[in-house]
Amino acid sequence: MTTSTSGPADAARVPWPRSRRGELALILVVALAQVGGTTLAATHQTGTIGVGGYLLLGGAALVLFGRQRYPVGVLLASCSLTLAYSVSRGPRGPIYFALIAASVSAVVAGKRRVVIGVLIVGYVAFQWLPPLVGTHPGPSALAAFLVGAWLLVLWLGAEWIRGRALRLAALARSREEEARRLASDERLRIARELHDVLAHDISLINVQASSALHLIDRQPERAREALAAIKEVSKEALVELRSVLGVLRQVDEAAPLSPAPSLDRLDELLARTETTGLQLRLERPEDPVPGPLPSAVDQAAYRIVQEALTNVTRHARATTATVRITRSAGHLVVEVEDDGVPAAIPGNGHGGTGIAGMRERATALGGNLQAGGRPTGGFRVRAWLPL
């Protein structure tokens, strides 16, 4: 049994009522037990409690008001008041409830050395001080042994309560940390969604706007098509942006108005991207293991394709690109290849927020992602997402 003084980090709050009403109820119970129990015991003994005795018994209970903030002071005061009654000529009775409560409070607060010292000094004083002053006879050997055993039980009980309080405090801290982690993960997810929505759609808008400005005088019809594409892409971006921001604000529990990102919407994504002039080909052979994809994998695959095509339209200076979706060895394999310039991709697959975000999406599901130049030219993004 260790007797080292615990610091603030090791201390715990007493798992008793913490509200003012609860504290009052505890003190009232202790006071009634001491005063009422001793009064009842006095009917079978000689002598009376007297006003001083009642003040000592009641005062030992009242000092418990400060047990949370001043556990050592309350323990010393309670022990002194109880000892003062013990050496008086008042009848014996259940006078130790306040001292028990103060001792447990001090142990739980981490003041273990102080409690051990008080218990040792109290054991000697309560047993042999009354006979020294002539107010009560000395204890028998059996009585002294039983009091020592009772103090040991008190100490062990206080240690058990302290351990339980520490476990509850650790559990509460763990729950708070988990809540903060979940909130951080949710913010990261929303940041990714915003990046994917804005980066892809605004990239397409930028390409189409540049094309419209270039063609507006010489080929107004093609400029009109580019402006129409800008309108459609910006409308889609606004819808997705409202959906993400609605989740962020948590204004209601209604489902978002736009469908969730899914490979079922891949044709829409490719059609919007082709308005930039990039020729796209989708290769999606029949699944060897047909069936719906897990929602997390489905959304991640869509976002990876979206971000990869964003990089192609913004950086690769490519004319054609291929999107390939297959299943292999328990994985969904997502590939996006283009015939552009690999060096034009920021960091050539090792830098840039977009590629880092795609890699995080894959690793978050237990998968992997590779991005880099192809031996035959162009750039390739390949992701393995566990099913």
Side-chain angles (χ1 to χ4, degrees):
M1 184 186 303
T2 179
T3 59
S4 60
T5 304
S6 301
D10 193 37
R13 291 182 62 87
V14 180
W16 295 346
R18 299 178 183 177
S19 65
R20 186 169 296 275
R21 184 176 299 178
E23 291 288 341
L24 288 174
L26 174 66
I27 292 169
L28 180 61
V29 169
V30 172
L32 288 177
Q34 294 200 150
V35 176
T38 305
T39 301
L40 182 62
T43 60
H44 304 284
Q45 304 177 47
T46 58
T48 59
I49 298 177
V51 176
Y54 283 117
L55 291 177
L56 292 173
L57 293 175
L62 290 177
V63 296
L64 292 176
F65 266 120
R67 69 191 181 93
Q68 295 282 2
R69 296 185 61 184
Y70 311 105
V72 173
V74 168
L75 175 61
L76 296 177
S78 178
C79 183
S80 300
L81 292 171
T82 306
L83 181 61
Y85 179 85
S86 178
V87 299
S88 70
R89 296 187 179 276
R92 297 296 180 93
I95 63 174
Y96 300 105
F97 284 102
L99 184 55
I100 293 172
S103 299
V104 172
S105 298
V107 170
V108 174
K111 310 302 182 180
R112 306 160 85 185
R113 284 183 176 175
V114 175
V115 175
I116 289 179
V118 169
L119 291 181
I120 293 175
V121 173
Y123 174 76
V124 175
F126 279 99
Q127 295 295 305
W128 287 282
L129 191 57
L132 287 178
V133 298
T135 55
H136 293 282
S140 64
L142 177 61
F145 172 78
L146 291 177
V147 171
W150 178 83
L151 290 177
L152 179 61
V153 171
L154 171 62
W155 170 260
L156 294 176
E159 284 290 334
W160 179 85
I161 294 175
R162 177 178 180 272
R164 180 174 178 271
L166 289 174
R167 288 192 297 271
L168 291 175
L171 180 61
R173 288 194 300 270
S174 176
R175 288 175 176 172
E176 291 176 359
E177 292 173 359
E178 179 68 12
R180 287 194 295 268
R181 187 189 65 80
L182 291 176
S184 178
D185 290 346
E186 182 65 12
R187 287 193 296 269
L188 179 59
R189 185 191 68 81
I190 292 173
R192 288 174 178 167
E193 293 293 323
L194 286 174
H195 173 271
D196 292 339
V197 171
L198 297 179
H200 179 75
D201 290 338
I202 292 181
S203 176
L204 297 184
I205 291 172
N206 179 265
V207 172
Q208 293 288 4
S210 300
S211 177
L213 288 174
H214 181 69
L215 299 172
I216 193 167
D217 293 326
R218 293 179 298 171
Q219 301 181 48
E221 288 302 320
R222 292 188 58 187
R224 184 185 300 275
E225 293 176 1
L227 292 173
I230 290 175
K231 178 181 178 181
E232 186 65 26
V233 172
S234 61
K235 178 181 178 181
E236 180 73 16
L238 286 174
V239 170
E240 292 202 38
L241 190 59
R242 288 194 191 101
S243 175
V244 174
L245 293 179
V247 174
L248 183 61
R249 289 193 300 264
Q250 297 180 346
V251 292
D252 53 44
E253 296 298 327
L257 298 179
S258 62
S262 168
L263 291 179
D264 293 336
R265 302 180 60 199
L266 204 54
D267 291 336
E268 302 174 21
L269 175 64
L270 300 185
R272 289 201 308 271
T273 306
E274 284 183 328
T275 61
T276 65
L278 181 68
Q279 296 181 6
L280 292 173
R281 182 175 60 186
L282 175 62
E283 296 181 3
R284 193 171 185 179
E286 183 177 352
D287 292 336
V289 184
L293 293 171
S295 60
V297 174
D298 197 11
Q299 293 185 23
Y302 177 90
R303 291 305 190 192
I304 288 173
V305 173
Q306 183 183 51
E307 181 58 36
L309 292 178
T310 300
N311 284 342
V312 172
T313 56
R314 293 176 61 185
H315 306 293
R317 299 194 292 274
T319 58
T320 63
T322 301
V323 177
R324 188 176 297 109
I325 309 292
T326 58
R327 294 198 195 196
S328 174
H331 288 75
L332 182 73
V333 183
V334 179
E335 295 180 88
V336 179
E337 299 177 343
D338 66 75
D339 62 354
V341 183
I345 302 294
N348 195 19
H350 300 286
T353 305
I355 291 176
M358 288 189 288
R359 184 169 285 110
E360 285 182 5
R361 284 185 181 277
T363 55
L365 297 174
N368 188 22
L369 183 137
Q370 294 178 353
R374 297 190 300 163
T376 58
F379 195 82
R380 175 191 291 139
V381 172
R382 178 181 294 165
W384 292 266
L385 307 177
L387 296 174

